[in-house]
Amino acid sequence: MLTLTQVQNKSSARLAGLNPAVHSAAVALIQRCYACGIPILITQGLRTLAEQEALYAQGRTKPGTVVTHARGGYSYHNYGLAVDFALLLPDGKNVSWDMLRDGNEDRIADWRQVVQTAKILDFEWGGDWSGFKDYPHLQMTFGLALDRLRAGERPSGAAMAAVNDLLKKNEAIKKDDKAVVAVHVNGVKAADGMLDKGITYVPARMLAEAIGAKISYDPTTRTVDITLPGEKN
């Protein structure tokens, strides 16, 4: 069971070099998804032109499958304006790109929830593209086409401030009624919960595992069963 800090640390290296506003939005995305019981990993952030060219060669002049249609300079990754994500599995080591996975068992695909959260934070999703769809891809263009970026133009201070203002506004709204709290079991932190109007909400699976219980979900009755050691269902 991973804490929020552990989940954030797993992505920290890939957040280096991002545009400051994109960096802040990516951190907010990790935090908000974790609060919903969906840990994610940022798998790609800033990508150099050389790295982009090497990726473009895959499936063309080098072995492997085609993973991008963008040459060096033709991806928002090359300007620190994009990130890719994956679902972090409970073991904390492996990831999933299964867009139907429902790891938090709320009957909504985790991938869909991550994308919805990202859009609230002003990210554009590669899955909405009309042509080649890049489902793990999130970007902020700040109104700049790639040819302008290749010509040396960069996001204005006003454009980045607008994103930061949006993040602060959303955070202020969240803090009016809610707060992230640490939930301890026998003095050991089990999970980060959400305190909302006097009620603490904690991911059921994290809490059950912390007390050594088994947990299961019955979709027909929409029932979560938590069974303590030595007890019957």
Side-chain angles (χ1 to χ4, degrees):
M1 180 177 56
L2 300 173
T3 66
L4 174 58
T5 298
Q6 289 172 321
V7 172
Q8 289 176 314
N9 287 343
K10 287 181 176 294
S11 293
S12 60
R14 297 177 183 87
L15 297 179
L18 289 175
N19 171 280
V22 177
H23 184 284
S24 296
V27 170
L29 179 65
I30 294 170
Q31 294 172 342
R32 294 189 183 199
C33 290
Y34 182 87
C36 295
I38 307 174
I40 65 171
L41 178 72
I42 300 302
T43 59
Q44 285 280 297
L46 175 66
R47 193 183 295 148
T48 67
L49 297 183
E51 290 170 338
Q52 188 69 40
E53 285 291 346
L55 199 61
Y56 180 81
Q58 183 176 320
R60 295 181 174 88
T61 58
K62 293 183 178 180
T65 58
V66 173
V67 293
T68 182
H69 291 292
R71 303 203 64 151
Y74 288 80
S75 169
Y76 283 96
H77 279 288
N78 304 151
Y79 307 97
L81 302 180
V83 297
D84 293 342
F85 75 90
L87 304 175
L88 187 60
L89 296 179
D91 63 8
K93 299 178 181 178
N94 297 298
V95 297
S96 171
W97 286 272
D98 181 359
M99 294 178 63
L100 299 179
R101 175 180 168 78
D102 182 19
N104 62 354
E105 298 182 342
D106 62 356
R107 305 187 72 181
I108 303 173
D110 294 348
W111 202 276
R112 176 183 170 188
Q113 290 180 275
V114 175
V115 170
Q116 288 175 337
T117 303
K119 290 182 177 181
I120 291 173
L121 298 172
D122 219 28
F123 278 110
E124 298 174 18
W125 180 42
D128 288 331
W129 295 346
S130 58
F132 172 76
K133 295 185 182 294
D134 192 350
Y135 295 106
H137 182 87
L138 302 168
Q139 66 182 32
M140 289 186 182
T141 68
F142 299 95
L144 295 174
L146 284 165
D147 58 345
R148 294 169 64 183
L149 290 169
R150 288 196 302 274
E153 192 171 350
R154 294 295 180 265
S156 67
M160 291 189 291
V163 171
N164 286 322
D165 287 344
L166 175 64
L167 296 177
K168 291 177 182 178
K169 180 180 179 181
N170 287 337
E171 188 64 21
I173 292 173
K174 185 175 71 171
K175 287 183 177 179
D176 281 343
D177 298 316
K178 301 178 182 179
V180 176
V181 296
V183 177
H184 291 241
V185 175
N186 295 328
V188 179
K189 184 175 181 179
D192 285 308
M194 185 66 68
L195 180 63
D196 184 8
K197 298 178 181 178
I199 301 175
T200 301
Y201 297 90
V202 185
R205 182 172 299 281
M206 291 184 177
L207 187 59
E209 291 175 350
I211 61 176
K214 294 183 178 180
I215 184 169
S216 62
Y217 176 70
D218 186 346
T220 59
T221 60
R222 300 185 67 177
T223 302
V224 174
D225 289 312
I226 297 177
T227 306
L228 292 170
E231 299 289 336
K232 296 182 179 180
N233 289 333

